[in-house]
């Protein structure tokens, strides 16, 4: 192992793999199709098997060179279930066959669940695919933005697929109960969304994602709505106090306030020494997919898996830039009491045309409110405040 390879020793490598660059629905906030980046138009609509073979070889070489213990492939789109089922299974088999003798291989998949049927479930079972469903709340809320290409709501079709997945899990066919990814909408009530997920749909694992707005787009009204949403949802979750229900954004913040230095990336639980990047259907490599909507060199193409090694990805300008952004506190955050647990928030929410990433999160006040709420909850649960203070005062 060379010194640069040692420098980039990795436990967990995660690839967000764009197997389909089209979608069967058309959510108006989608960062892939509806926020200005038109890369998808020049990408093959569906990945080819020879591209997957090149990726598998790329990952195998990378695992050997960097001592990677676990590789996670997140099947993403567009909508990954637009692939023909036998072809999808061929992709899983090929990746597993090429990689599994050098690293543990895991599969995850993000879907709107509309195309889920029994045949898909059998594939998820055979291939051990962890499925997460995109849904934003009860029908009237979800269907304000998660619409099909004719403007019709998608709630009914998504929930039908979700229920098939849940039943399959209950029958022991799937490795995990399907989780839900939900984009926070400042016009919605977070308590209603949480209660609907838990009480009406029986969802056990969920995450609330901050909107992909950059700093300039975070208006005071928008931020206030996000704050209310998060706090209302947190209050519901914490008063349920049900260990079987995980809300990733909340449990992660609590763990961070208690001193965990693990991070979560992509679709993984908390992991250490982890890297993630995006591979499009052509094999082109980019950093974090959610940054595609900001017009900045950080989302320039890194290369293609055909002629780029993992070490070249990790030492590329966009990758280093993103690492530097993530490791550098915005100036204005230097004096913030939450700086050690927040680090300025998500890069997308920090970005502005004028200062680039040298802004606090556009959702700074939402995050502050959430941290305060979390500290209150920990204190009520008997955690000594000195323990949290030590975390907040650490470097
Ligand atoms: S809470 Fe706000 S000021 Fe504090 S570190 Fe986070 S973004 Fe910066």
């Amino acid at each position: 192992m060379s010194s640069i390879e040692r420098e980039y020793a990795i436990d967990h490598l995660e690839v967000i793999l764009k197997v389909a660059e089209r979608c069967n629905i058309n959510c108006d906030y989608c960062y892939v199709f509806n926020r200005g980046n038109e890369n998808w138009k020049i990408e093959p609509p569906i990945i080819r098997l020879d591209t997957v073979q090149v990726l598998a070889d790329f990952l195998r070489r990378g695992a050997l060179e960097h001592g990677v213990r676990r590789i996670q492939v997140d099947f993403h789109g567009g909508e990954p279930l637009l692939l023909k089922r036998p072809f999808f299974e061929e992709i899983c088999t090929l990746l597993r066959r090429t990689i599994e003798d050098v690293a543990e291989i895991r599969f995850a998949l993000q879907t709107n669940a509309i195309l889920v049927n029994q045949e898909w479930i059998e594939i998820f079972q055979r291939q051990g695919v962890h499925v997460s469903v995109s849904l934003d709340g009860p029908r009237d809320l979800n269907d304000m933005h998660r619409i099909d290409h004719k403007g019709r709501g998608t709630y009914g079709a998504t929930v039908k697929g979700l229920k098939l997945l849940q039943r399959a899990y209950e029958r022991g066919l799937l490795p995990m109960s399907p989780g839900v990814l939900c984009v926070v909408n400042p016009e919605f009530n977070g308590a209603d969304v949480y209660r609907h997920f838990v009480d009406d749909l029986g969802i056990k694992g969920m995450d609330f994602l901050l909107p992909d707005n950059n700093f300039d787009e975070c208006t005071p009204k928008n931020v206030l709505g996000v704050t209310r949403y998060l706090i209302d949802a947190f209050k519901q979750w914490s008063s349920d106090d049900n260990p079987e229900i995980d809300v990733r954004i909340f449990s992660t913040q609590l763990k961070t306030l208690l001193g965990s230095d693990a991070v979560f990336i992509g679709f993984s639980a908390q992991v250490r020494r982890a890297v993630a990047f995006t591979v499009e259907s052509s094999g082109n490599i980019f950093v974090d997919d959610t940054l595609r909507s900001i017009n900045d060199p950080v989302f320039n193409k890194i290369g293609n898996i055909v002629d780029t090694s993992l070490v070249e990805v990790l030492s590329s300008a966009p990758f280093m830039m993103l690492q530097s952004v993530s490791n550098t506190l915005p100036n204005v955050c230097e004096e913030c009491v939450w700086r050690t647990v927040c680090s300025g928030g998500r890069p997308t929410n920090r970005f502005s045309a004028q200062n680039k990433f040298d802004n606090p999160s556009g959702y700074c006040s939402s995050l502050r409110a959430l941290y305060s709420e979390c500290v209150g909850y920990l204190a009520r649960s008997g955690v000594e405040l000195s323990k949290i203070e030590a975390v907040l005062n650490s470097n």
Side-chain angles (χ1 to χ4, degrees):
M1 200 186 267
S2 68
S3 59
I4 192 155
E5 284 156 359
R6 262 195 304 279
E7 187 183 334
Y8 291 117
I10 297 165
D11 285 340
H12 177 98
L13 174 63
E14 190 153 339
V15 177
I16 297 152
L17 180 59
K18 301 276 174 180
V19 289
E21 301 267 1
R22 304 290 186 271
C23 191
N24 52 340
I25 66 172
N26 188 29
C27 305
D28 59 10
Y29 56 64
C30 179
Y31 64 79
V32 179
F33 301 111
N34 292 327
R35 285 184 54 82
N37 180 294
E38 306 219 314
N39 233 24
W40 62 273
K41 285 187 179 167
I42 54 168
E43 288 290 320
I46 300 289
I47 199 166
R48 288 173 23 180
L49 197 62
D50 55 358
T51 307
V52 179
Q53 182 66 67
V54 174
L55 173 67
D57 294 337
F58 165 95
L59 292 173
R60 181 185 170 82
R61 272 195 312 277
L64 288 168
E65 288 166 2
H66 298 269
V68 177
R69 294 206 316 222
R70 183 174 57 237
I71 292 175
Q72 178 161 318
V73 177
D74 300 326
F75 296 112
H76 209 274
E79 171 51 48
L81 300 196
L82 286 176
L83 268 62
K84 290 198 166 35
R85 290 187 296 271
F87 179 56
F88 178 85
E89 190 150 27
E90 216 175 336
I91 290 176
C92 295
T93 305
L94 190 159
L95 286 165
R96 177 171 288 111
R97 198 176 52 222
T98 310
I99 294 166
E100 71 181 352
D101 66 322
V102 296
E104 180 195 344
I105 174 103
R106 284 189 190 172
F107 298 132
L109 180 138
Q110 188 64 36
T111 176
N112 56 46
I114 290 170
L115 298 171
V116 168
N117 58 18
Q118 215 45 52
E119 288 81 14
W120 271 114
I121 285 173
E122 284 163 20
I123 292 174
F124 299 150
Q125 179 187 13
R126 279 195 294 277
Q127 299 296 339
V129 180
H130 293 203
V131 182
S132 173
V133 174
S134 305
L135 182 70
D136 286 352
R139 184 187 296 273
D140 54 334
L141 303 185
N142 182 79
D143 289 355
M144 281 169 68
H145 299 283
R146 296 191 61 82
I147 49 179
D148 69 11
H149 289 280
K150 292 186 174 162
R152 298 170 301 197
T154 57
Y155 175 89
T158 290
V159 168
K160 192 167 162 221
L162 173 68
K163 288 188 170 165
L164 282 176
L165 292 163
Q166 287 174 315
R167 276 202 292 278
Y169 170 71
E170 284 154 17
R171 285 163 40 221
L173 303 180
L174 293 180
M176 266 177 66
S177 177
V180 160
L181 277 190
C182 169
V183 176
V184 171
N185 188 314
E187 294 157 32
F188 297 177
N189 180 313
D192 290 348
V193 173
Y194 173 85
R195 291 261 63 98
H196 179 65
F197 285 164
V198 173
D199 301 340
D200 302 333
L201 299 180
I203 293 162
K204 298 275 192 286
M206 66 195 86
D207 198 10
F208 295 119
L209 307 176
L210 290 178
D212 289 319
N213 290 336
N214 64 41
F215 182 81
D216 296 326
E217 293 166 327
C218 293
T219 62
K221 184 167 174 243
N222 180 285
V223 175
L224 187 63
V226 167
T227 306
R228 275 203 205 111
Y229 183 116
L230 288 176
I231 299 307
D232 288 350
F234 182 86
K235 284 182 173 159
Q236 293 293 320
W237 176 68
S238 56
S239 65
D240 277 356
D241 209 14
N242 180 346
E244 285 188 3
I245 298 171
D246 182 48
V247 181
R248 188 168 73 165
I249 184 173
F250 300 153
S251 57
T252 302
Q253 292 307 347
L254 293 175
K255 284 178 200 153
T256 309
L257 283 161
L258 292 172
S260 167
D261 63 350
V263 293
F264 69 79
I265 58 170
F267 302 105
S268 297
Q270 295 201 324
V271 286
R272 286 192 174 76
R273 293 210 307 179
V275 293
F277 49 85
T278 305
V279 173
E280 304 210 318
S281 64
S282 61
N284 286 339
I285 309 165
F286 293 86
V287 294
D288 179 353
D289 197 33
T290 61
L291 287 165
R292 71 170 60 223
S293 62
I294 63 173
N295 186 17
D296 188 79
V298 76
F299 203 75
N300 283 355
K301 178 178 146 187
I302 292 174
N304 189 287
I305 48 172
V306 170
D307 52 11
T308 309
S309 68
L310 182 55
V311 76
E312 285 168 334
V313 173
L314 303 179
S315 52
S316 66
F319 200 88
M320 303 283 272
M321 237 185 279
L322 183 57
Q323 281 226 310
S324 156
V325 167
S326 305
N327 295 335
T328 310
L329 204 57
N331 275 325
V332 70
C333 299
E334 290 287 350
E335 301 300 318
C336 174
V337 67
W338 306 112
R339 67 191 180 284
T340 58
V341 292
C342 177
S343 309
R346 289 174 63 213
T348 310
N349 303 139
R350 277 167 62 172
F351 186 80
S352 73
Q354 196 180 351
N355 295 341
K356 302 284 182 182
F357 294 97
D358 192 15
N359 299 297
S361 167
Y363 291 109
C364 174
S365 54
S366 312
L367 296 171
R368 284 171 184 260
L370 180 60
Y371 301 138
S372 298
E373 208 57 43
C374 286
V375 169
Y377 171 76
L378 289 172
R380 288 193 300 280
S381 308
V383 174
E384 284 180 23
L385 284 177
S386 57
K387 187 168 180 191
I388 300 170
E389 274 165 16
V391 173
L392 294 178
N393 292 326
S394 61
N395 283 322

